[in-house]
């Protein structure tokens, strides 16, 4: 059988196979070959890992996810050679809680980080600590104020570059643009990439607001798409342009949408430089690459503009996820996966045991005949543990501020029709019982992170809207 070309694994939304039937084993065997290739990537696992996170990057703004207005060739190149997950979810639509979930493979109800103004507890084991303990060089280059060393998110990295020497255009806070971020990461690669096996984490900030791309990428898209004018302010969460996003007192929505696209394009160009560096130093075929976003961004859906972190709609919690493994065949996977699955995936790829703390599952044996099946289930929360979204295959159940919503994402991807009161009681009971399982992810003894209380950090995070 041929495994050449892009294949699609799509088992979501239908009845799962039962029994040890020939059809089940055939589907499992095909899935195994598609993901690992004929030779099987685990027989020759990669030596290194490059993990790229792009802040506030919407999945639908990559051409490999269907974007038609512009192209993202660097990120697309990863998808052409790797596994593209079309239904991936973050655990919390804000940078620090989301990154904590990725690094510890735990939900926020476990690790306790629920704002961008907290400190990762020392009791939590991180990916960097594990890999460093197994002889990997561990390095990180970050560009967001909330990922500074003071948050302890960099624990386990022997090299952690959080030198943010640029001032954001609208606020008194430091950042680093994608050009300088890529430059720092490339410098580390050139100096260290050929020495020993490595784990390099790179975080790009640019698509996070304010959207102010390089001049040649501003007003890139036509201004006749929406034609909406909004007031600048924060009195109402809906139908307003947040003050920190406002540029030149512009009130036309198209201006900001175009600039967001420009930020994505610019970041893609810098990712291309980073990927080219792997090839130039001769480690491309020895390096696995993960590309994802910490969260998405609202660009007008549900009357929410240019924000994230407050609600649980798809544009804020659904993220791009591409995993490129040297030697593996390209594949598109439409099953529901989540950020906490990335840690177990990396450890599985490197032949390392998953610690008891990790709550995710490896994505490598995705449809393995020896597995017990994959459950299309993901949780995401904001603020309190009771503000929760659960994606169960095509169904999405949301508890938010005392309200309950249910959406069939297959028929209603825009989450416009709440069918909670229209579904059979048996269906609602089954979904609510699954929602209760989120509580099981909490630790036996609550983990209470410290809060950053220094005056400058507090004021900066208030202007960001991360704390009140």
């Amino acid at each position: 059988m041929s495994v050449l070309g892009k294949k699609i694994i799509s088992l979501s939304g239908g009845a799962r196979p039962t029994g040890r039937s020939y059809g089940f084993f055939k589907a499992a065997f095909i899935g195994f070959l598609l993901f690992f290739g004929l030779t099987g990537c685990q027989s020759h696992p990669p030596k290194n890992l490059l993990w790229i996170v792009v802040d506030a990057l919407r999945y639908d703004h990559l051409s490999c996810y269907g974007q038609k207005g512009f192209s993202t060739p660097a990120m697309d190149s990863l998808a052409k050679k790797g596994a593209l997950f079309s239904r991936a979810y973050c655990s919390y639509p804000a940078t620090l809680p989301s990154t904590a979930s990725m690094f510890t493979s735990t939900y926020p109800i476990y690790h306790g980080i629920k704002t961008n103004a907290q400190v990762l507890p020392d009791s939590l084991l991180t990916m960097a600590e594990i890999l460093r303990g197994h002889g990997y060089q561990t390095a990180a280059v970050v560009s967001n104020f909330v990922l500074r060393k003071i948050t302890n998110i960099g624990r386990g990295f022997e090299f952690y570059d959080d030198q943010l020497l640029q001032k954001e255009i609208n606020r008194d806070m430091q950042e680093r643009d994608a050009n300088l971020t890529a430059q720092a990461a490339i410098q580390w690669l050139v100096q260290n990439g050929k020495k020993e096996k490595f784990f390099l984490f790179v975080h790009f900030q640019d698509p996070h607001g304010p959207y102010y791309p390089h001049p040649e990428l501003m007003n890139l898209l036509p201004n006749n798409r929406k034609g909406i004018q909004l007031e600048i302010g924060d009195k109402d969460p809906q139908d307003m342009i947040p003050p920190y996003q406002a540029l030149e007192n512009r009130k036309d929505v198209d201006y900001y949408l175009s600039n967001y696209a420009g930020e994505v394009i610019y970041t893609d160009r810098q990712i291309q430089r980073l990927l080219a560096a792997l090839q130039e130093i001769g480690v491309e075929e020895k390096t696995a690459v993960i590309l994802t976003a910490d969260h998405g961004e609202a660009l007008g859906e549900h009357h929410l503009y240019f924000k994230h972190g407050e609600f649980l709609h798809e544009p804020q919690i659904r993220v791009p996820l591409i995993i490129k493994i040297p030697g593996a065949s390209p594949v598109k996977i439409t099953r529901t996966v989540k950020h906490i699955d990335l840690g177990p995936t990396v450890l599985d790829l490197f032949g390392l045991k998953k610690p008891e703390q990790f709550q995710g599952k490896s994505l490598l044996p995705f449809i393995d005949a020896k597995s017990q099946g994959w459950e299309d289930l993901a949780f995401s929360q904001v603020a309190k543990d009771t503000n929760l979204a659960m994606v169960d295959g095509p169904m999405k159940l949301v508890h938010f501020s005392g309200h309950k919503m249910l959406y069939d994402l297959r028929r209603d991807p825009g989450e416009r029709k709440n069918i909670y009161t229209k579904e059979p009681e048996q269906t609602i009971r089954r979904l609510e019982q699954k929602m209760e399982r989120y509580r099981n992810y909490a630790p036996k003894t609550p983990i209470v992170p410290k809060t950053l209380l220094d005056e400058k950090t507090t004021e900066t995070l208030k202007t960001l809207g991360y704390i009140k």
Side-chain angles (χ1 to χ4, degrees):
M1 67 178 287
S2 172
V3 293
L4 298 177
K6 175 84 71 171
K7 304 293 183 179
I8 298 178
I9 297 176
S10 177
L11 294 181
S12 60
R16 294 188 179 90
T18 57
R20 303 175 64 86
S21 66
Y22 168 76
F24 173 80
F25 281 106
K26 180 179 178 182
F29 183 65
I30 291 173
F32 184 86
L33 289 181
L34 288 175
F35 196 82
F36 292 108
L38 285 174
T39 57
C41 68
Q42 281 202 307
S43 61
H44 302 284
K47 178 182 177 183
N48 313 308
L49 172 65
L50 170 61
W51 188 335
I52 300 170
V53 170
V54 183
D55 209 307
L57 175 63
R58 288 174 61 122
Y59 72 95
D60 59 3
H61 273 55
L62 278 67
S63 18
C64 56
Y65 279 85
Q67 169 58 236
K68 302 298 183 183
F70 54 89
S71 61
T72 51
M75 291 184 273
D76 295 347
S77 71
L78 293 173
K80 289 176 182 177
K81 298 178 180 179
L84 183 149
F85 295 83
S86 64
R87 291 174 53 78
Y89 288 87
C90 70
S91 300
Y92 195 117
T95 299
L96 188 60
S98 175
T99 306
S101 285
M102 285 189 276
F103 282 1
T104 66
S105 183
T106 60
Y107 279 116
I109 196 173
Y110 186 96
H111 61 63
I113 302 290
K114 296 165 189 175
T115 75
N116 279 324
Q118 291 176 286
V119 178
L120 187 72
D122 288 333
S123 60
L124 292 167
L125 189 62
T126 69
M127 277 296 305
E129 287 180 304
I130 295 171
L131 293 180
R132 187 175 180 179
H134 284 86
Y136 286 80
Q137 299 178 88
T138 53
V141 180
V142 301
S143 55
N144 188 321
F145 179 86
V146 304
L147 294 180
R148 295 171 304 151
K149 293 177 184 175
I150 193 173
T151 64
N152 205 31
I153 197 69
R155 196 175 70 250
F157 289 101
E158 52 190 331
F159 175 83
Y160 195 84
D161 182 349
D162 62 351
Q163 298 183 53
L164 312 181
L165 303 180
Q166 295 169 297
K167 183 181 178 298
E168 190 186 286
I169 188 170
N170 272 353
R171 297 173 292 190
D172 185 21
M173 64 172 292
Q174 302 303 112
E175 63 177 3
R176 172 165 44 189
D177 80 356
N179 173 47
L180 294 180
T181 301
Q183 184 175 312
I186 291 169
Q187 182 178 352
W188 186 89
L189 274 174
V190 170
Q191 294 175 351
N192 303 280
K194 297 182 72 173
K195 292 180 181 178
E196 300 289 343
K197 56 188 179 182
F198 66 78
F199 164 36
L200 173 61
F201 176 81
V202 184
H203 170 276
F204 291 101
Q205 167 79 351
D206 295 53
H208 190 292
Y211 316 137
Y212 195 78
H214 278 223
E216 74 275 13
L217 295 175
M218 297 185 73
N219 292 308
L220 189 68
L221 302 181
N223 277 336
N224 58 357
R225 290 162 300 128
K226 289 187 178 292
I228 299 172
Q229 298 278 328
L230 296 176
E231 292 301 315
I232 298 170
D234 53 10
K235 293 181 180 179
D236 192 313
Q238 294 183 314
D239 293 320
M240 299 196 84
I241 298 172
Y244 91 92
Q245 290 278 19
L247 298 173
E248 303 173 1
N249 206 37
R250 296 284 293 264
K251 298 181 180 180
D252 47 321
V253 167
D254 285 341
Y255 172 77
Y256 296 96
L257 294 176
S258 182
N259 283 354
Y260 177 82
E263 295 276 32
V264 173
I265 294 169
Y266 182 69
T267 303
D268 186 75
R269 292 177 180 177
Q270 308 313 313
I271 290 174
Q272 179 58 56
R273 293 174 55 209
L274 184 56
L275 297 178
L278 294 177
Q279 186 175 22
E280 289 169 10
I281 67 172
V283 298
E284 181 184 22
E285 295 304 315
K286 301 176 182 178
T287 304
V289 181
I290 294 174
L291 172 79
T292 190
D294 51 356
H295 51 76
E297 184 85 332
L299 297 179
E301 300 83 7
H302 302 275
H303 298 276
L304 300 170
Y305 288 88
F306 320 135
K307 61 176 63 181
H308 56 266
E310 300 173 3
F311 298 95
L312 293 164
H313 304 118
E314 292 288 283
Q316 296 192 45
I317 66 173
R318 192 168 165 186
V319 294
L321 175 59
I322 302 169
I323 302 177
K324 174 183 170 289
I325 300 171
S329 298
V331 59
K332 181 178 179 180
I333 299 169
T334 62
R335 303 295 295 266
T336 302
V337 300
K338 48 209 178 292
H339 269 165
I340 64 170
D341 296 326
L342 294 178
T345 301
V346 171
L347 296 184
D348 195 7
L349 183 63
F350 290 147
L352 302 176
K353 184 179 179 181
K354 184 179 79 169
E356 185 177 348
Q357 169 196 295
F358 279 27
Q359 296 177 332
K361 289 185 176 182
S362 172
L363 300 174
L364 292 191
F366 203 76
I367 307 178
D368 185 350
K370 295 182 180 179
S371 73
Q372 296 181 356
W374 184 266
E375 186 173 28
D376 289 288
L377 192 67
F379 295 99
S380 186
Q381 75 169 82
V382 289
K384 301 181 294 184
D385 296 335
T386 53
N387 285 342
L388 185 64
M390 179 189 74
V391 178
D392 180 25
M395 306 303 289
K396 180 177 180 180
L397 177 62
V398 181
H399 290 181
F400 188 84
S401 296
H403 301 282
K404 294 184 178 182
M405 289 79 73
L406 178 64
Y407 305 102
D408 184 342
L409 298 177
R410 185 171 40 194
R411 297 182 175 87
D412 178 26
E415 302 167 282
R416 297 180 180 277
K417 187 178 180 181
N418 181 6
I419 59 174
Y420 190 89
T421 60
K422 298 179 180 180
E423 285 294 294
E425 183 178 338
Q426 183 180 359
T427 300
I428 298 299
R429 186 184 308 114
R430 177 182 62 81
L431 291 169
E432 290 287 3
Q433 287 173 348
K434 280 194 173 183
M435 182 76 100
E436 281 296 314
R437 284 164 53 180
Y438 188 63
R439 298 178 182 275
N440 297 334
Y441 288 104
K444 294 180 180 179
T445 303
I447 297 173
V448 183
K450 296 179 181 178
T451 301
L452 295 173
L453 294 175
D454 64 276
E455 185 176 348
K456 182 179 179 180
T457 299
T458 300
E459 288 305 310
T460 300
L461 291 168
K462 281 183 179 179
T463 63
L464 279 164
Y466 290 142
I467 59 176
K468 303 296 183 182

